[in-house]
PDB file of all heavy atoms in Angstrom:
ATOM      1  N   GLU F   3     128.405-151.922  65.293  1.00 66.00           N
ATOM      2  CA  GLU F   3     127.627-152.796  64.452  1.00 66.00           C
ATOM      3  C   GLU F   3     128.369-154.073  64.105  1.00 66.00           C
ATOM      4  O   GLU F   3     127.880-155.151  64.102  1.00 66.00           O
ATOM      5  CB  GLU F   3     127.255-152.075  63.125  1.00 66.00           C
ATOM      6  CG  GLU F   3     126.361-152.879  62.256  1.00 66.00           C
ATOM      7  CD  GLU F   3     125.024-153.279  62.903  1.00 66.00           C
ATOM      8  OE1 GLU F   3     124.457-152.432  63.627  1.00 66.00           O
ATOM      9  OE2 GLU F   3     124.536-154.376  62.671  1.00 66.00           O
ATOM     10  N   GLU F   4     129.698-153.984  63.857  1.00 62.00           N
ATOM     11  CA  GLU F   4     130.560-155.155  63.587  1.00 62.00           C
ATOM     12  C   GLU F   4     130.584-156.053  64.765  1.00 62.00           C
ATOM     13  O   GLU F   4     130.429-157.307  64.646  1.00 62.00           O
ATOM     14  CB  GLU F   4     131.967-154.692  63.307  1.00 62.00           C
ATOM     15  CG  GLU F   4     132.892-155.892  62.939  1.00 62.00           C
ATOM     16  CD  GLU F   4     134.341-155.466  62.717  1.00 62.00           C
ATOM     17  OE1 GLU F   4     134.668-154.287  62.681  1.00 62.00           O
ATOM     18  OE2 GLU F   4     135.153-156.392  62.522  1.00 62.00           O
ATOM     19  N   GLN F   5     130.656-155.519  66.010  1.00 59.00           N
ATOM     20  CA  GLN F   5     130.702-156.412  67.154  1.00 59.00           C
ATOM     21  C   GLN F   5     129.318-157.126  67.328  1.00 59.00           C
ATOM     22  O   GLN F   5     129.249-158.210  67.684  1.00 59.00           O
ATOM     23  CB  GLN F   5     131.001-155.597  68.401  1.00 59.00           C
ATOM     24  CG  GLN F   5     132.463-155.150  68.505  1.00 59.00           C
ATOM     25  CD  GLN F   5     132.690-154.166  69.704  1.00 59.00           C
ATOM     26  OE1 GLN F   5     131.804-153.390  70.006  1.00 59.00           O
ATOM     27  NE2 GLN F   5     133.849-154.339  70.297  1.00 59.00           N
ATOM     28  N   ARG F   6     128.232-156.364  67.064  1.00 61.00           N
ATOM     29  CA  ARG F   6     126.952-156.915  67.194  1.00 61.00           C
ATOM     30  C   ARG F   6     126.705-158.048  66.187  1.00 61.00           C
ATOM     31  O   ARG F   6     126.099-159.069  66.514  1.00 61.00           O
ATOM     32  CB  ARG F   6     125.809-155.899  67.012  1.00 61.00           C
ATOM     33  CG  ARG F   6     125.627-155.027  68.262  1.00 61.00           C
ATOM     34  CD  ARG F   6     124.345-154.179  68.106  1.00 61.00           C
ATOM     35  NE  ARG F   6     124.441-153.138  67.175  1.00 61.00           N
ATOM     36  CZ  ARG F   6     124.996-151.926  67.381  1.00 61.00           C
ATOM     37  NH1 ARG F   6     125.488-151.676  68.550  1.00 61.00           N
ATOM     38  NH2 ARG F   6     125.064-151.046  66.434  1.00 61.00           N
ATOM     39  N   THR F   7     127.335-157.917  65.054  1.00 62.00           N
ATOM     40  CA  THR F   7     127.192-158.982  63.991  1.00 62.00           C
ATOM     41  C   THR F   7     128.138-160.104  64.288  1.00 62.00           C
ATOM     42  O   THR F   7     127.667-161.318  64.212  1.00 62.00           O
ATOM     43  CB  THR F   7     127.491-158.352  62.599  1.00 62.00           C
ATOM     44  OG1 THR F   7     126.584-157.304  62.366  1.00 62.00           O
ATOM     45  CG2 THR F   7     127.323-159.425  61.539  1.00 62.00           C
ATOM     46  N   ASN F   8     129.426-159.836  64.531  1.00 65.00           N
ATOM     47  CA  ASN F   8     130.378-160.848  64.649  1.00 65.00           C
ATOM     48  C   ASN F   8     130.476-161.512  66.026  1.00 65.00           C
ATOM     49  O   ASN F   8     131.042-162.611  66.206  1.00 65.00           O
ATOM     50  CB  ASN F   8     131.782-160.329  64.210  1.00 65.00           C
ATOM     51  CG  ASN F   8     131.819-159.992  62.786  1.00 65.00           C
ATOM     52  OD1 ASN F   8     131.122-160.556  61.939  1.00 65.00           O
ATOM     53  ND2 ASN F   8     132.652-158.992  62.451  1.00 65.00           N
ATOM     54  N   THR F   9     129.940-160.855  67.049  1.00 69.00           N
ATOM     55  CA  THR F   9     130.027-161.436  68.349  1.00 69.00           C
ATOM     56  C   THR F   9     128.688-161.336  69.085  1.00 69.00           C
ATOM     57  O   THR F   9     128.567-161.080  70.250  1.00 69.00           O
ATOM     58  CB  THR F   9     131.112-160.723  69.251  1.00 69.00           C
ATOM     59  OG1 THR F   9     130.827-159.300  69.275  1.00 69.00           O
ATOM     60  CG2 THR F   9     132.492-161.021  68.702  1.00 69.00           C
ATOM     61  N   SER F  10     127.600-161.638  68.304  1.00 81.00           N
ATOM     62  CA  SER F  10     126.284-161.791  68.923  1.00 81.00           C
ATOM     63  C   SER F  10     126.338-162.835  69.981  1.00 81.00           C
ATOM     64  O   SER F  10     127.197-163.716  69.961  1.00 81.00           O
ATOM     65  CB  SER F  10     125.230-162.034  67.894  1.00 81.00           C
ATOM     66  OG  SER F  10     125.369-163.370  67.375  1.00 81.00           O
ATOM     67  N   VAL F  11     125.351-162.813  70.848  1.00 83.00           N
ATOM     68  CA  VAL F  11     125.275-163.868  71.906  1.00 83.00           C
ATOM     69  C   VAL F  11     125.236-165.231  71.278  1.00 83.00           C
ATOM     70  O   VAL F  11     125.902-166.165  71.694  1.00 83.00           O
ATOM     71  CB  VAL F  11     124.055-163.612  72.810  1.00 83.00           C
ATOM     72  CG1 VAL F  11     123.810-164.775  73.730  1.00 83.00           C
ATOM     73  CG2 VAL F  11     124.233-162.314  73.553  1.00 83.00           C
ATOM     74  N   VAL F  12     124.456-165.393  70.261  1.00 85.00           N
ATOM     75  CA  VAL F  12     124.315-166.707  69.568  1.00 85.00           C
ATOM     76  C   VAL F  12     125.700-167.123  68.987  1.00 85.00           C
ATOM     77  O   VAL F  12     126.141-168.270  69.115  1.00 85.00           O
ATOM     78  CB  VAL F  12     123.248-166.656  68.471  1.00 85.00           C
ATOM     79  CG1 VAL F  12     123.237-167.972  67.619  1.00 85.00           C
ATOM     80  CG2 VAL F  12     121.887-166.500  69.069  1.00 85.00           C
ATOM     81  N   THR F  13     126.342-166.233  68.296  1.00 87.00           N
ATOM     82  CA  THR F  13     127.680-166.475  67.758  1.00 87.00           C
ATOM     83  C   THR F  13     128.702-166.834  68.832  1.00 87.00           C
ATOM     84  O   THR F  13     129.487-167.788  68.699  1.00 87.00           O
ATOM     85  CB  THR F  13     128.192-165.255  66.931  1.00 87.00           C
ATOM     86  OG1 THR F  13     127.268-164.973  65.903  1.00 87.00           O
ATOM     87  CG2 THR F  13     129.568-165.511  66.296  1.00 87.00           C
ATOM     88  N   GLN F  14     128.685-166.129  69.893  1.00 87.00           N
ATOM     89  CA  GLN F  14     129.599-166.420  71.024  1.00 87.00           C
ATOM     90  C   GLN F  14     129.307-167.770  71.586  1.00 87.00           C
ATOM     91  O   GLN F  14     130.301-168.566  71.820  1.00 87.00           O
ATOM     92  CB  GLN F  14     129.471-165.331  72.161  1.00 87.00           C
ATOM     93  CG  GLN F  14     130.010-163.981  71.653  1.00 87.00           C
ATOM     94  CD  GLN F  14     129.872-162.984  72.779  1.00 87.00           C
ATOM     95  OE1 GLN F  14     130.432-163.103  73.908  1.00 87.00           O
ATOM     96  NE2 GLN F  14     129.101-161.943  72.510  1.00 87.00           N
ATOM     97  N   HIS F  15     128.037-168.138  71.860  1.00 86.00           N
ATOM     98  CA  HIS F  15     127.711-169.449  72.485  1.00 86.00           C
ATOM     99  C   HIS F  15     128.182-170.569  71.519  1.00 86.00           C
ATOM    100  O   HIS F  15     128.774-171.524  71.996  1.00 86.00           O
ATOM    101  CB  HIS F  15     126.224-169.516  72.787  1.00 86.00           C
ATOM    102  CG  HIS F  15     125.835-168.835  74.014  1.00 86.00           C
ATOM    103  ND1 HIS F  15     125.555-169.444  75.214  1.00 86.00           N
ATOM    104  CD2 HIS F  15     125.687-167.470  74.273  1.00 86.00           C
ATOM    105  CE1 HIS F  15     125.243-168.590  76.127  1.00 86.00           C
ATOM    106  NE2 HIS F  15     125.315-167.335  75.598  1.00 86.00           N
ATOM    107  N   SER F  16     127.868-170.451  70.260  1.00 90.00           N
ATOM    108  CA  SER F  16     128.278-171.567  69.315  1.00 90.00           C
ATOM    109  C   SER F  16     129.766-171.591  69.167  1.00 90.00           C
ATOM    110  O   SER F  16     130.324-172.682  69.106  1.00 90.00           O
ATOM    111  CB  SER F  16     127.514-171.360  67.980  1.00 90.00           C
ATOM    112  OG  SER F  16     127.944-170.199  67.340  1.00 90.00           O
ATOM    113  N   GLY F  17     130.419-170.429  69.218  1.00 90.00           N
ATOM    114  CA  GLY F  17     131.910-170.430  69.116  1.00 90.00           C
ATOM    115  C   GLY F  17     132.556-171.115  70.322  1.00 90.00           C
ATOM    116  O   GLY F  17     133.474-171.879  70.188  1.00 90.00           O
ATOM    117  N   ILE F  18     131.980-170.819  71.503  1.00 91.00           N
ATOM    118  CA  ILE F  18     132.540-171.367  72.721  1.00 91.00           C
ATOM    119  C   ILE F  18     132.322-172.895  72.703  1.00 91.00           C
ATOM    120  O   ILE F  18     133.244-173.662  73.035  1.00 91.00           O
ATOM    121  CB  ILE F  18     131.908-170.779  73.955  1.00 91.00           C
ATOM    122  CG1 ILE F  18     132.378-169.286  74.156  1.00 91.00           C
ATOM    123  CG2 ILE F  18     132.158-171.563  75.176  1.00 91.00           C
ATOM    124  CD1 ILE F  18     131.590-168.543  75.149  1.00 91.00           C
ATOM    125  N   GLU F  19     131.100-173.343  72.357  1.00 92.00           N
ATOM    126  CA  GLU F  19     130.842-174.808  72.307  1.00 92.00           C
ATOM    127  C   GLU F  19     131.804-175.461  71.277  1.00 92.00           C
ATOM    128  O   GLU F  19     132.359-176.539  71.634  1.00 92.00           O
ATOM    129  CB  GLU F  19     129.429-175.039  71.937  1.00 92.00           C
ATOM    130  CG  GLU F  19     128.467-174.728  73.103  1.00 92.00           C
ATOM    131  CD  GLU F  19     127.061-175.176  72.816  1.00 92.00           C
ATOM    132  OE1 GLU F  19     126.851-176.162  72.190  1.00 92.00           O
ATOM    133  OE2 GLU F  19     126.154-174.421  73.368  1.00 92.00           O
ATOM    134  N   HIS F  20     132.013-174.930  70.129  1.00 91.00           N
ATOM    135  CA  HIS F  20     132.944-175.529  69.145  1.00 91.00           C
ATOM    136  C   HIS F  20     134.332-175.604  69.680  1.00 91.00           C
ATOM    137  O   HIS F  20     135.005-176.586  69.589  1.00 91.00           O
ATOM    138  CB  HIS F  20     132.888-174.657  67.844  1.00 91.00           C
ATOM    139  CG  HIS F  20     133.871-175.127  66.840  1.00 91.00           C
ATOM    140  ND1 HIS F  20     135.141-174.478  66.805  1.00 91.00           N
ATOM    141  CD2 HIS F  20     133.844-175.998  65.933  1.00 91.00           C
ATOM    142  CE1 HIS F  20     135.835-175.073  65.843  1.00 91.00           C
ATOM    143  NE2 HIS F  20     135.047-176.017  65.269  1.00 91.00           N
ATOM    144  N   ASP F  21     134.817-174.367  70.200  1.00 92.00           N
ATOM    145  CA  ASP F  21     136.211-174.329  70.716  1.00 92.00           C
ATOM    146  C   ASP F  21     136.429-175.334  71.827  1.00 92.00           C
ATOM    147  O   ASP F  21     137.476-176.029  71.891  1.00 92.00           O
ATOM    148  CB  ASP F  21     136.539-172.941  71.174  1.00 92.00           C
ATOM    149  CG  ASP F  21     136.506-171.913  70.082  1.00 92.00           C
ATOM    150  OD1 ASP F  21     136.479-172.325  68.883  1.00 92.00           O
ATOM    151  OD2 ASP F  21     136.565-170.689  70.374  1.00 92.00           O
ATOM    152  N   MET F  22     135.539-175.433  72.799  1.00 91.00           N
ATOM    153  CA  MET F  22     135.689-176.375  73.914  1.00 91.00           C
ATOM    154  C   MET F  22     135.680-177.771  73.519  1.00 91.00           C
ATOM    155  O   MET F  22     136.419-178.583  74.059  1.00 91.00           O
ATOM    156  CB  MET F  22     134.634-176.059  75.011  1.00 91.00           C
ATOM    157  CG  MET F  22     134.779-174.712  75.671  1.00 91.00           C
ATOM    158  SD  MET F  22     136.461-174.417  76.432  1.00 91.00           S
ATOM    159  CE  MET F  22     136.455-175.676  77.667  1.00 91.00           C
ATOM    160  N   LYS F  23     134.867-178.136  72.512  1.00 92.00           N
ATOM    161  CA  LYS F  23     134.926-179.554  72.056  1.00 92.00           C
ATOM    162  C   LYS F  23     136.303-179.894  71.499  1.00 92.00           C
ATOM    163  O   LYS F  23     136.763-181.035  71.610  1.00 92.00           O
ATOM    164  CB  LYS F  23     133.851-179.743  70.943  1.00 92.00           C
ATOM    165  CG  LYS F  23     132.450-179.867  71.501  1.00 92.00           C
ATOM    166  CD  LYS F  23     131.463-180.042  70.338  1.00 92.00           C
ATOM    167  CE  LYS F  23     130.039-180.030  70.943  1.00 92.00           C
ATOM    168  NZ  LYS F  23     129.036-180.068  69.858  1.00 92.00           N
ATOM    169  N   GLU F  24     136.959-178.932  70.853  1.00 92.00           N
ATOM    170  CA  GLU F  24     138.273-179.179  70.348  1.00 92.00           C
ATOM    171  C   GLU F  24     139.341-179.114  71.428  1.00 92.00           C
ATOM    172  O   GLU F  24     140.251-179.937  71.417  1.00 92.00           O
ATOM    173  CB  GLU F  24     138.629-178.196  69.221  1.00 92.00           C
ATOM    174  CG  GLU F  24     137.831-178.464  67.981  1.00 92.00           C
ATOM    175  CD  GLU F  24     138.373-177.658  66.760  1.00 92.00           C
ATOM    176  OE1 GLU F  24     139.407-177.014  66.882  1.00 92.00           O
ATOM    177  OE2 GLU F  24     137.716-177.795  65.696  1.00 92.00           O
ATOM    178  N   MET F  25     139.280-178.163  72.332  1.00 90.00           N
ATOM    179  CA  MET F  25     140.293-177.963  73.320  1.00 90.00           C
ATOM    180  C   MET F  25     140.172-178.979  74.431  1.00 90.00           C
ATOM    181  O   MET F  25     141.227-179.423  74.962  1.00 90.00           O
ATOM    182  CB  MET F  25     140.153-176.524  73.885  1.00 90.00           C
ATOM    183  CG  MET F  25     140.440-175.432  72.900  1.00 90.00           C
ATOM    184  SD  MET F  25     139.933-173.826  73.490  1.00 90.00           S
ATOM    185  CE  MET F  25     141.066-173.545  74.874  1.00 90.00           C
ATOM    186  N   MET F  26     138.993-179.208  74.932  1.00 90.00           N
ATOM    187  CA  MET F  26     138.751-180.126  76.118  1.00 90.00           C
ATOM    188  C   MET F  26     137.566-181.041  75.744  1.00 90.00           C
ATOM    189  O   MET F  26     136.478-180.792  76.173  1.00 90.00           O
ATOM    190  CB  MET F  26     138.420-179.307  77.336  1.00 90.00           C
ATOM    191  CG  MET F  26     139.506-178.445  77.834  1.00 90.00           C
ATOM    192  SD  MET F  26     138.905-177.584  79.328  1.00 90.00           S
ATOM    193  CE  MET F  26     140.365-176.634  79.749  1.00 90.00           C
ATOM    194  N   PRO F  27     137.813-182.065  74.894  1.00 91.00           N
ATOM    195  CA  PRO F  27     136.746-182.923  74.429  1.00 91.00           C
ATOM    196  C   PRO F  27     135.884-183.574  75.512  1.00 91.00           C
ATOM    197  O   PRO F  27     134.734-183.880  75.316  1.00 91.00           O
ATOM    198  CB  PRO F  27     137.419-183.966  73.507  1.00 91.00           C
ATOM    199  CG  PRO F  27     138.869-183.621  73.544  1.00 91.00           C
ATOM    200  CD  PRO F  27     139.140-182.461  74.399  1.00 91.00           C
ATOM    201  N   ASP F  28     136.500-183.766  76.670  1.00 91.00           N
ATOM    202  CA  ASP F  28     135.780-184.465  77.766  1.00 91.00           C
ATOM    203  C   ASP F  28     135.047-183.447  78.640  1.00 91.00           C
ATOM    204  O   ASP F  28     134.406-183.867  79.626  1.00 91.00           O
ATOM    205  CB  ASP F  28     136.714-185.309  78.586  1.00 91.00           C
ATOM    206  CG  ASP F  28     137.312-186.437  77.825  1.00 91.00           C
ATOM    207  OD1 ASP F  28     136.653-186.936  76.805  1.00 91.00           O
ATOM    208  OD2 ASP F  28     138.390-186.885  78.070  1.00 91.00           O
TER     209      ASP F  28
END
Side-chain angles (χ1 to χ4, degrees):
E3 184 61 37
E4 180 183 356
Q5 287 173 325
R6 282 192 289 277
T7 301
N8 295 330
T9 56
S10 69
V11 171
V12 172
T13 301
Q14 290 179 62
H15 282 257
S16 62
I18 290 167
E19 287 188 31
H20 173 268
D21 294 348
M22 290 307 294
K23 283 180 185 173
E24 287 193 5
M25 295 167 66
M26 296 179 178
D28 295 332

